[in-house]
Amino acid sequence: MNGMGGLSAAARRWGLGFLALLLLTAGCSRQATPTPTPAATPLPPVAVNAAATASASGQVTPVRDAELSFAVAGRVESVSVAVNDEAAAGTVLIELEAAAAEASLAQAQAALLRAQAHLNELRSGPRPQEIAAAEARLAAAQAHLAQLMEGSRPEDIAAAEANLAAAQARYDALYAEPNAAVVAAAWAEVQQARATLERLRHPATASEIAEAEAQVKSAQAELELLAAGARAEAVAAAEAAVAEAEATVQRAEADLAGFQLRAPFTGTVTALEVSPGEMVQVGEVVLVLADLSQMQVELTDLSERAVARVGVGQPAVVFVEALGVEIPGRVARVAPRAAVIGGDVVYPVIIELEQQPPGLRWGMSVDVEISVE
């Protein structure tokens, strides 16, 4: 046999030991003159054959749903819907008692009407009747002043004396008249004629003339004010009052609207928590509305290890266990922030369904395979 195959076991052991000694001696001699160790070269990353899909589970949810509540507290007056009813957008679903809010709105509307009427009056200026009345008052004041300034003419005094005598004669002739009203009228005529004569016999004093002049000035100022119309400042103040009244009406309308719960979109009533006569508090959920015509899938356990491979637009297959059907879909949204469920870090993901089979309901459990290639 060649090599050490023909040697005995002892000889082979001796030969191996001698060979080891030679190698050790050679190693020691090399250590005497060490050579620099070359720098390590980074190795390229090892390619990992990732899985072609990411798996997760979730549940069916509506694309749009809302938990509705009131912004005010109150007692329920009426409920217009029941569970499973369809409600169009804007439909009144629930109303609270709102007598006080209605009264406040009526007061605000009345105040607005008054403010608008005042503004219209200022803008339109004085009416012809008001101008005519002011002119008549001025003319009368001017005539009275002129009469006081002119004094009493002899012919005026003579006419007044004659008028008094005639009135006295008529009264004397009617004194025995059984009709008391006729006698009283005749006596009043006598008194008026006597007063006129006394005024003519005694000229006006300086104070009477001054008073008459003041009346003329007052009537003249009133006429000029009417003719000039409203000042710009007055119109501006009236406009501001109208704007303030309009804002008050808007606030009152908004307050009243808060006593009505309206459907924010067309959907189905899926939960109703109150009845007429019950009290509700601010923010208390009283009704749930959902658009069940369009459903989606919300994944609840996609891990942080898998989310890095998932992106918007990737195709997915949704298996609905309750119906035993598979539905094609696509990733519509990936949450940017993780959620912690049962101690596990997961990322919510929304899957848009391309089909909606009959019988698909809110809350059904699903298993999803997302193609991540």
Side-chain angles (χ1 to χ4, degrees), residues 103-114 245-246 248-250 252-253:
S104 297
L105 176 58
Q107 292 175 348
Q109 290 171 334
L112 175 58
L113 290 176
R114 289 193 297 270
E246 289 174 342
T248 302
V249 169
Q250 291 174 354
E253 290 175 341

Side-chain angles (χ1 to χ4, degrees), residues 64-125:
R64 192 175 190 186
D65 66 277
E67 294 182 341
L68 305 182
S69 60
F70 284 96
V72 296
R75 188 180 302 277
V76 177
E77 181 175 6
S78 63
V79 178
S80 304
V81 292
V83 174
N84 291 329
D85 282 354
E86 293 285 336
T91 302
V92 176
L93 307 173
I94 303 173
E95 288 186 273
L96 302 182
E97 296 176 357
E102 292 171 349
S104 297
L105 176 58
Q107 292 175 348
Q109 290 171 334
L112 175 58
L113 290 176
R114 289 193 297 270
Q116 288 174 332
H118 179 58
L119 176 60
N120 293 337
E121 182 179 0
L122 292 178
R123 285 175 172 172
S124 61

Side-chain angles (χ1 to χ4, degrees), residues 43-51:
L43 297 176
V46 178
V48 178
N49 185 17

Side-chain angles (χ1 to χ4, degrees), residues 3-367:
M4 289 192 291
L7 299 178
S8 65
R12 286 199 300 272
R13 285 196 300 271
W14 181 88
L16 291 174
F18 180 75
L19 179 61
L21 180 61
L22 290 177
L23 292 174
L24 179 60
T25 303
C28 292
S29 63
R30 283 196 299 270
Q31 288 177 358
T33 56
T35 56
T37 303
T41 303
L43 297 176
V46 178
V48 178
N49 185 17
T53 61
S55 302
S57 60
Q59 62 179 1
V60 177
T61 64
V63 171
R64 192 175 190 186
D65 66 277
E67 294 182 341
L68 305 182
S69 60
F70 284 96
V72 296
R75 188 180 302 277
V76 177
E77 181 175 6
S78 63
V79 178
S80 304
V81 292
V83 174
N84 291 329
D85 282 354
E86 293 285 336
T91 302
V92 176
L93 307 173
I94 303 173
E95 288 186 273
L96 302 182
E97 296 176 357
E102 292 171 349
S104 297
L105 176 58
Q107 292 175 348
Q109 290 171 334
L112 175 58
L113 290 176
R114 289 193 297 270
Q116 288 174 332
H118 179 58
L119 176 60
N120 293 337
E121 182 179 0
L122 292 178
R123 285 175 172 172
S124 61
R127 292 174 295 177
Q129 301 92 320
E130 293 174 329
I131 295 291
E135 290 174 342
R137 286 190 291 272
L138 175 60
Q142 290 171 336
H144 178 61
L145 176 61
Q147 184 180 11
L148 293 179
M149 296 292 291
E150 288 178 0
S152 302
R153 297 176 299 179
E155 56 269 28
D156 293 333
I157 295 176
E161 290 174 341
N163 188 36
L164 175 58
Q168 186 67 51
R170 286 192 294 272
Y171 173 74
D172 293 341
L174 296 172
Y175 183 76
E177 176 68 35
N179 192 332
V182 174
V183 175
W187 177 248
E189 187 177 353
V190 171
Q191 294 294 337
Q192 183 178 1
R194 183 176 290 119
T196 300
L197 178 59
E198 288 297 320
R199 185 175 66 251
L200 292 174
R201 284 175 176 175
H202 300 87
T205 62
S207 60
E208 290 175 336
I209 293 175
E211 181 181 357
E213 289 175 340
Q215 291 176 348
V216 170
K217 290 180 180 179
S218 176
Q220 182 68 44
E222 180 185 0
L223 179 60
E224 291 175 354
L225 185 62
L226 286 174
R231 294 178 300 172
E233 298 86 349
V235 174
E239 291 173 342
V242 170
E244 182 178 359
E246 289 174 342
T248 302
V249 169
Q250 291 174 354
R251 285 195 299 270
E253 290 175 341
D255 291 342
L256 182 59
F259 287 81
Q260 292 182 332
L261 189 66
R262 295 178 178 271
F265 53 86
T266 299
T268 302
V269 177
T270 60
L272 181 62
E273 306 297 339
V274 294
S275 300
E278 294 183 6
M279 291 294 297
V280 298
Q281 302 301 321
V282 175
E284 176 186 353
V285 176
V286 296
L287 186 146
V288 178
L289 188 72
D291 181 5
L292 302 180
S293 65
Q294 189 175 5
M295 308 296 277
Q296 63 184 12
V297 166
E298 183 175 347
L299 301 185
T300 56
D301 64 353
L302 186 69
S303 69
E304 58 183 328
R305 294 182 299 275
V307 73
R309 298 182 295 148
V310 175
V312 174
Q314 289 175 336
V317 177
V318 178
F319 176 68
V320 184
E321 183 178 358
L323 303 180
V325 297
E326 290 185 348
I327 308 171
R330 288 189 176 275
V331 176
R333 188 166 66 251
V334 180
R337 181 179 178 182
V340 178
I341 300 178
D344 295 329
V345 177
V346 298
Y347 283 81
V349 173
I350 299 299
I351 303 296
E352 182 182 79
L353 299 179
E354 297 180 0
Q355 301 173 7
Q356 186 162 321
L360 191 65
R361 292 180 177 274
W362 189 357
M364 284 184 171
S365 299
V366 298
D367 293 317

